[in-house]
């Protein structure tokens, strides 16, 4: 068992790759060490998060008052589209892959990811993709303005920025698939002796399932955008009725990718939160097995609900009813997760350091997004919510307060392991409270805007929507500025601070806490012996 | 400015208060359309509104119960209070319970929802059929069956340029007003066929409870029966390019007599050109 990962991780001609192989820039360009690659993913995604954030704030500035003050409608649509694409493909997804790279080998007791060179390649595909995507703002016609969903035939009308976005998506998709294969193989083949599947940390489980989702749906997205590409340039008519095609076909294919995609962005978040809550409740995770089954059921169900994004396209009643029921069913395993977390907290001995604050905040606010999700599953009512600010509120509750808050929680949780220093707890807590308050000030009013009739993806609106929009803009700027505080806390922690112990957190359990802090460049070159604590199973 | 700041302060305080008991004021909230769906003007819209409120109440109850447990635990089970961690980590009974109860709740939601879907999809026996065609960026209407048959016009945004481009203070119906509104009689079943010329648009009038994508090359349908007179405003609800925010929909629901008069006036307007070109080409429904 031990020889195999060893070999794979180091390749054959690369035995000098301990602490200091190549230095300077070359260290990063040639990096094959999972920790270096993890760090690069995290930095990349933070840069993309800030870029997407600047776009969001420009949108919010325009929406501060009725009338056009800051940008013209065309550019507004470009910003909306690019904000969505950058946040989804540039910020959230790579950030979770960064966590996977850093933590999975440490959690399963492996020396590195299974395919270390491919790992380098999956990361280094991302910067060129980002340059293509963001560079498209500067070509004639500007970036694509068809919305992050890139619906045909609107996307067929766009300028060359659309082609650049398509290629960027191809490249990012390839990167995701390679990353996912690496994760699957690492988890399945490189666990320490004694760590059976049902004993591995839940974060590994959620990533294992997520990786399968990625492998299954990224090619579907690639197919959808390639059909757009050939419709644009090579005379095909997949989405053009005049040539026997159908615009709605695009939506079916896109959402067959799109719905599993939302679980790709939330399952690893569930994993992170499931690591953190037991630590700070000093009590084992409640219902470990049911957590695994719930995750798997969510993943399977996610393949049969896609048309809930398409209720307004006008489908037969039976089809609507099928997709409505299937979607409602997802609430059951999702509910099980929330109940399990709360049962883990119940009669624990809790403390509320920043990772725990973000995790509890996650449960609270993500669940609100879950409630609106349940409301959206009701087809006849969804038809009224669809494409309004109610939906914008819903998906920011699950993406920002869900995925992003879990990423913050995980960052604070493992930061001492990464840097060897404790972060500034006071500032961390302040980051949490400011994020939590400003998040709600920004997005809660959007529910009302949507219900009252404000459609999404517009730069201007009737004055009756003015006050909630003003409030949302104030909140958004507060939220944006708060993230600079986050950057400051991280930089401060990298620079120094109180020395972190190997254990870091009193209640922490798992192999990652058995290596020193900061985790040395090479860990688990000899597989550790994994002894499950009695109370796991 | 200070006025604005004061308003913002007030809103911020309100939002903060809202966070404590987010749904606490939902009774007044339900009555005030600023915070909720527009007042329904059709039976379908009323059903949708009821379903929506039903969902909110169920979610509210679950919210209170679930987070009641969580916040009690946060309050009571703290290390700083000397709480000692229990070590239990599963309970088959509890786990079965909290799987089965949600399923039952879902059935309680699915039942009325299914009935509404079936009603919504029943576009048969319409009194009047109107085809709405989405263009970048305006709507075209053809009355193709029932009283008013043959009427056709294009409907575009009528907000004055001064407000749109030169920052004059926006009027009450800013971005929600058109030159030629759709006129329909009260109490009649109106079937709307939607299609589009270029990209996908969506025909949405919230108070009537209808939203239907308009898809180029295809025809889809929806229907409504207005139960009160008035002017109901909606917008295009599918991103359709640069001026997506500038192609509103305005529906005037009038009495049967007024409708007859409107039809007569429209016919007269088009009589002159129609006489010259023999018959107006029948609208191409399929
Ligand atoms: C600073 C925080 C954020 C603010 C203020 C913000 C604001 C906005 C705004 C104003 C829109 C346009 C809504 C519309 O007109 O339809 C939007 C859309 C969107 N946002 Fe955010 N956002 C933020 C963070 C995020 C994050 C972290 C994600 C994570 C994935 C995200 C994902 C999206 C998506 C997918 C869209 C839809 C884009 C589209 O309509 O094509 N946002 N956001
Ligand atoms: Cu979905
Ligand atoms: Cu539109």
């Amino acid at each position: 068992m031990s020889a195999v990962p060893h070999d794979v991780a180091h390749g054959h001609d690369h035995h000098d790759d301990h602490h200091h192989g190549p230095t300077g820039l070359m260290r990063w360009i040639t990096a094959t060490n999972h920790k270096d690659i993890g760090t690069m993913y995290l930095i990349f995604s933070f840069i993309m998060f800030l870029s997407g954030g600047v776009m969001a704030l420009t949108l919010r500035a325009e929406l501060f008052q009725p009338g056009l003050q800051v940008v013209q409608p065309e550019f507004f649509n470009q910003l909306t589209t690019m904000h969505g694409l950058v946040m989804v493909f540039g910020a959230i997804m790579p950030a979770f892959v960064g966590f996977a790279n850093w933590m999975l080998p440490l959690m399963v007791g492996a020396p590195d990811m299974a395919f270390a060179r491919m790992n380098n390649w999956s990361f280094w595909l991302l910067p060129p993709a980002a340059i293509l995507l963001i560079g498209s703002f500067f070509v004639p016609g500007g970036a694509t303005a068809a919305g992050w969903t890139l619906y045909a035939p609107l996307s067929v009308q766009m300028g060359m920025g659309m082609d650049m976005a398509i290629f960027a998506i191809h490249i990012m998709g390839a990167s995701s698939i390679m990353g996912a294969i690496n994760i699957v193989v690492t988890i399945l083949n490189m666990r320490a002796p004694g760590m059976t599947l049902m004993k591995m940390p839940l974060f590994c489980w959620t990533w294992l399932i997520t990786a399968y989702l990625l492998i299954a749906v990224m090619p579907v997205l690639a197919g959808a955008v390639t059909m757009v590409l050939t419709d644009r340039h090579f005379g095909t008519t997949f989405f053009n009725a005049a040539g026997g095609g159908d615009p709605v076909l695009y939506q079916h294919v896109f959402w067959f990718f799109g719905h599993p995609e939302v679980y790709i962005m939330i399952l690893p978040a569930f994993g992170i939160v499931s690591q953190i809550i037991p630590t700070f409740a000093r009590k084992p995770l409640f219902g470990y097995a049911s957590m695994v089954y719930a995750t798997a059921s969510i993943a399977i169900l996610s393949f049969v609900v896609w048309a809930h994004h398409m209720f307004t396209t006008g489908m037969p009643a039976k089809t609507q009813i099928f997709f409505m029921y299937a979607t409602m069913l997802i609430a059951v395993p999702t509910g099980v997760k929330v109940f399990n977390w709360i049962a883990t907290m119940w009669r624990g001995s809790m403390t509320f350091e920043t990772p725990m604050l973000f995790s509890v905040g996650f449960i609270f606010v993500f669940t609100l997004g879950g409630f609106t999700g349940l409301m959206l599953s009701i087809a006849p009512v969804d038809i009224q919510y669809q494409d309004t600010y109610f939906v914008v509120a819903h998906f920011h509750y699950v993406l920002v307060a869900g995925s992003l808050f879990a990423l913050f929680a995980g960052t604070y949780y493992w930061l001492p392991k990464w840097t060897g220093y404790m972060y500034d707890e006071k500032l961390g807590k302040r980051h949490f409270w400011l994020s939590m308050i400003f998040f709600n000030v920004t997005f809660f009013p959007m529910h009302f805007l949507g219900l009252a009739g404000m459609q999404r993806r517009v730069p201007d609106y009737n004055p009756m929507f003015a006050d909630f929009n003003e409030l949302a803009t104030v909140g958004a700027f507060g939220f944006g500025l708060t993230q600079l505080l986050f950057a400051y806390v991280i930089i401060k922690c990298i620079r120094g601070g109180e020395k972190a112990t190997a254990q870091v957190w009193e209640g922490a359990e798992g192999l990652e806490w058995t290596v020193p802090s900061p985790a040395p460049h090479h860990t688990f070159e000899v597989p550790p012996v994994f002894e499950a604590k009695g109370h796991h199973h | 400015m200070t006025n604005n700041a004061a308003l913002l302060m007030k809103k911020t305080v309100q939002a903060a208060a809202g966070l404590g008991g987010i749904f606490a004021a939902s009774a007044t909230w339900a009555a005030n359309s600023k915070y909720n769906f527009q007042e329904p003007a059709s039976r379908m819209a009323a059903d949708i509104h009821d379903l929506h409120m039903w969902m909110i109440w169920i979610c509210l109850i679950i919210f209170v119960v679930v987070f009641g447990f969580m916040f009690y635990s946060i309050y009571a089970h703290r290390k700083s209070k000397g709480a000692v961690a229990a070590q239990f980590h599963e309970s088959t009974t509890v786990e079965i319970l909290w799987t089965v109860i949600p399923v039952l709740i879902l059935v309680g939601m699915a039942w009325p929802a299914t009935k509404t879907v079936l009603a919504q999809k029943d576009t048969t026996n319409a009194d009047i059929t109107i085809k709405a065609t989405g263009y970048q960026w305006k709507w075209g209407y053809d009355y193709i069956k029932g009283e008013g048959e043959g009427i056709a016009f294009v409907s575009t945004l009528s907000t004055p340029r001064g407000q749109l481009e030169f920052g004059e203070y926006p009027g009450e119906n800013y971005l929600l007003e058109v030159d030629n509104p759709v006129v329909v009689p009260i109490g009649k079943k109106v079937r709307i066929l939607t299609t589009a010329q270029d990209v996908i648009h969506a025909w949405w009038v919230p108070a009537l409870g209808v939203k239907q994508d308009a898809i180029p090359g295809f025809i889809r349908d929806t229907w409504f029966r207005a139960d009160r007179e008035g002017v109901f405003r909606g917008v295009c609800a599918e991103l359709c390019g640069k001026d997506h925010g500038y192609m509103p929909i305005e529906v005037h629901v009038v009495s049967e007599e007024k409708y007859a008069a409107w039809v007569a006036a429209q016919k007269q307007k088009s009589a002159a050109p129609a006489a010259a070109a023999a018959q107006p080409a029948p609208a191409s429904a399929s």
Side-chain angles (χ1 to χ4, degrees):
Chain A
M1 179 73 199
S2 76
V4 178
H6 227 85
D7 236 34
V8 180
H10 287 276
H12 295 289
D13 49 356
H14 218 222
H15 292 293
D16 58 345
D17 190 19
H18 34 78
H19 283 265
H20 303 286
T23 51
L25 194 58
M26 282 316 278
R27 163 169 178 202
W28 299 102
I29 292 180
T30 60
T32 52
N33 179 287
H34 71 104
K35 300 182 185 85
D36 285 351
I37 292 177
T39 304
M40 290 195 292
Y41 264 107
L42 292 174
I43 293 173
F44 172 84
S45 64
F46 191 68
I47 294 171
M48 295 306 274
F49 172 62
L50 292 183
S51 325
V54 169
M55 296 174 202
L57 293 184
T58 316
L59 297 175
R60 281 314 326 168
E62 175 52 56
L63 291 168
F64 184 60
Q65 283 181 342
L68 295 179
Q69 295 86 16
V70 182
V71 292
Q72 290 300 304
E74 251 169 314
F75 189 54
F76 183 94
N77 291 347
Q78 295 179 22
L79 284 172
T80 308
T81 306
M82 294 295 284
H83 162 72
L85 289 173
V86 163
M87 285 297 193
V88 169
F89 295 104
I92 302 290
M93 290 170 66
F96 282 123
V97 181
F99 274 83
N101 265 290
W102 246 106
M103 300 318 299
L104 288 179
L106 287 179
M107 286 178 147
V108 301
D112 204 310
M113 297 295 281
F115 306 113
R117 305 262 183 75
M118 184 167 84
N119 208 10
N120 172 290
W121 190 218
S122 12
F123 172 75
W124 280 108
L125 281 176
L126 289 179
I131 292 168
L132 261 182
L133 196 59
I134 299 207
S136 71
F137 273 119
F138 305 100
V139 299
T144 168
W148 88 279
T149 46
L150 306 174
Y151 275 11
L154 187 59
S155 52
V156 177
Q157 284 187 346
M158 294 287 143
M160 71 180 281
M162 183 69 212
D163 302 315
M164 295 171 78
I166 290 174
F167 289 132
I169 288 173
H170 282 150
I171 298 174
M172 292 185 292
S175 157
S176 291
I177 291 171
M178 288 195 273
I181 291 173
N182 222 335
I183 287 167
V184 170
V185 177
T186 306
I187 294 178
L188 290 185
N189 285 357
M190 295 173 65
R191 294 190 312 280
M195 185 182 283
T196 60
L197 280 177
M198 286 310 271
K199 280 181 187 157
M200 65 182 186
L202 209 81
F203 180 68
C204 306
W205 259 114
T206 55
W207 243 120
L208 179 64
I209 292 170
T210 303
Y212 276 112
L213 288 181
L214 275 170
I215 295 169
V217 302
M218 292 313 287
V220 177
L221 174 65
V225 295
T226 306
M227 290 200 277
V228 170
L229 189 75
T230 62
D231 268 15
R232 287 166 57 77
H233 297 295
F234 306 117
T236 57
T237 51
F238 292 114
F239 309 127
N240 181 353
D246 182 351
V248 179
L249 171 66
Y250 176 85
Q251 300 183 23
H252 282 292
V253 182
F254 179 86
W255 288 112
F256 190 82
F257 146 82
H259 195 85
E261 167 69 9
V262 309
Y263 290 105
I264 288 167
M265 292 191 281
I266 203 65
L267 294 182
F270 289 169
I272 291 175
V273 170
S274 305
Q275 297 302 126
I276 293 175
I277 301 231
T279 297
F280 295 94
R282 295 169 179 75
K283 187 166 159 279
L285 183 67
F286 187 89
Y288 174 90
S290 70
M291 283 300 224
V292 172
Y293 300 139
T295 311
S297 349
I298 291 175
I300 291 166
L301 281 173
S302 78
F303 285 104
V304 294
V305 298
W306 76 91
H308 64 207
H309 297 274
M310 302 166 54
F311 286 139
T312 58
T313 56
M315 50 182 115
K318 277 183 211 151
T319 319
Q320 272 195 23
I321 291 171
F322 170 80
F323 282 106
M324 172 167 83
Y325 291 171
T327 306
M328 294 172 81
L329 264 188
I330 291 195
V332 176
T334 312
V336 165
K337 294 209 152 254
V338 173
F339 303 146
N340 280 345
W341 290 320
I342 294 177
T344 306
M345 294 164 69
W346 193 255
R347 291 186 46 218
S349 171
M350 280 187 279
T351 52
F352 294 92
E353 288 85 347
T354 312
M356 182 65 163
L357 283 178
F358 268 110
S359 299
V360 175
F362 164 94
I363 300 180
F364 183 65
V365 195
F366 169 80
T367 305
L368 287 179
F371 284 134
T372 51
L374 191 54
M375 294 168 74
L376 286 158
S377 74
I378 304 296
V381 196
D382 169 79
I383 289 175
Q384 293 308 302
Y385 302 137
Q386 186 261 357
D387 260 325
T388 70
Y389 260 86
F390 189 82
V391 172
V392 177
H394 159 73
F395 68 68
H396 283 92
Y397 267 75
V398 288
L399 281 175
V400 180
S403 311
L404 187 63
F405 278 17
L407 285 164
F408 287 149
T411 305
Y412 286 109
Y413 186 52
W414 284 304
L415 197 57
K417 182 57 65 190
W418 298 340
T419 65
Y421 301 110
M422 299 305 286
Y423 59 85
D424 185 330
E425 191 62 63
K426 209 173 104 200
L427 289 184
K429 285 187 173 156
R430 191 163 301 168
H431 173 226
F432 167 75
W433 284 109
L434 289 174
S435 295
M436 187 70 175
I437 291 168
F438 282 127
F439 167 79
N440 282 287
V441 172
T442 310
F443 294 105
F444 201 71
M446 291 188 190
H447 292 113
F448 302 135
L449 286 174
L451 293 179
M454 181 167 165
Q455 79 276 44
R456 67 190 274 213
R457 295 167 165 174
V458 288
D460 199 358
Y461 51 82
N462 184 277
M464 73 174 149
F465 304 124
D467 43 7
F468 285 137
N469 269 299
E470 242 170 55
L471 186 59
T473 297
V474 170
F477 277 84
F479 189 84
L481 289 177
T482 303
Q483 304 324 314
L484 298 181
L485 175 62
F486 175 64
Y488 174 74
V489 177
I490 303 291
I491 291 169
K492 192 171 165 205
C493 178
I494 293 172
R495 290 250 174 109
E498 189 196 325
K499 278 264 170 223
T501 59
Q503 172 73 11
V504 182
W505 310 108
E506 185 187 30
E509 267 179 36
L511 290 177
E512 80 259 40
W513 308 109
T514 63
V515 303
S517 305
H521 202 58
H522 293 299
T523 38
F524 299 130
E525 305 224 73
V526 178
V529 179
F530 174 76
E531 287 168 64
K533 284 280 168 80
H535 43 245
H536 239 68
H537 265 268
Chain B
M1 189 60 223
T2 46
N3 216 352
N4 251 353
L7 189 79
L8 275 180
M9 276 289 282
K10 213 176 96 192
K11 289 283 165 196
T12 317
V13 172
Q14 280 174 1
L19 277 182
I22 285 168
F23 295 107
S26 40
T28 38
W29 172 39
N32 187 342
S33 80
K34 184 171 172 158
Y35 300 89
N36 207 340
F37 277 150
Q38 297 176 11
E39 202 186 328
S42 75
R43 181 61 205 286
M44 181 54 65
D47 286 349
I48 291 171
H49 195 294
D50 292 346
L51 208 49
H52 160 77
M53 290 317 296
W54 171 237
M55 293 297 299
I56 288 190
W57 284 114
I58 295 179
C59 290
L60 177 64
I61 293 167
I62 304 174
F63 175 88
V64 170
V65 173
V66 171
F67 288 107
F69 276 101
M70 188 178 91
F71 283 108
Y72 175 77
S73 178
I74 288 175
Y75 162 79
H77 306 144
R78 288 170 177 260
K79 194 182 177 196
S80 59
K81 289 200 167 172
V84 178
Q87 289 302 316
F88 66 86
H89 57 92
E90 54 195 0
S91 156
T92 316
T93 328
V94 176
E95 290 177 66
I96 289 178
L97 267 183
W98 70 37
T99 309
V100 173
I101 295 176
V103 172
L104 296 179
I105 296 177
L106 289 181
V107 173
M109 295 171 170
W111 178 249
T114 306
K115 283 198 295 194
T116 312
V117 170
L118 293 175
Q120 215 167 28
K121 278 286 161 187
D122 177 13
T123 53
T124 55
N125 297 323
D127 300 307
I128 296 175
T129 302
I130 304 172
K131 185 173 79 160
T133 308
Y135 300 89
Q136 284 172 316
W137 291 273
K138 54 183 182 276
W139 289 99
Y141 296 101
D142 297 273
Y143 285 59
I144 58 181
K145 225 171 119 201
E147 189 181 358
E149 190 172 324
I151 295 175
F153 54 86
V154 169
S155 175
T156 51
L157 177 71
S158 65
T159 296
R161 279 188 48 161
Q163 293 179 19
L164 281 178
E165 287 169 39
F166 308 115
E168 275 170 30
Y169 195 75
E172 194 194 344
N173 296 318
Y174 181 66
L175 297 185
L176 296 177
E177 51 207 341
V178 300
D179 50 3
N180 298 310
V182 178
V183 179
V184 297
I186 188 171
K188 291 277 193 266
K189 184 164 184 174
V190 180
R191 178 175 178 222
I192 301 284
L193 304 179
T194 63
T195 186
Q197 190 63 36
D198 31 49
V199 298
I200 304 176
H201 304 263
W203 200 84
W204 179 34
V205 183
L208 297 172
V210 287
K211 182 190 284 158
Q212 176 58 55
D213 286 2
I215 300 163
F218 291 85
I219 292 194
R220 299 288 153 91
D221 64 351
T222 182
W223 70 276
F224 64 86
R225 190 194 297 273
D227 56 18
R228 84 192 148 84
E229 291 179 32
V231 177
F232 304 105
R233 298 172 195 278
V235 290
C236 172
E238 182 62 58
L239 179 63
C240 55
K242 174 166 74 72
D243 287 346
H244 164 56
Y246 303 88
M247 49 181 294
I249 293 149
E250 189 176 327
V251 178
H252 290 201
V253 176
V254 297
S255 65
E256 283 193 47
E257 302 78 62
K258 280 204 192 132
Y259 181 70
W262 177 80
V263 168
Q266 291 292 313
K267 292 261 153 132
Q268 214 162 29
K269 251 205 283 182
S270 58
Q279 281 292 145
S284 53
S286 57

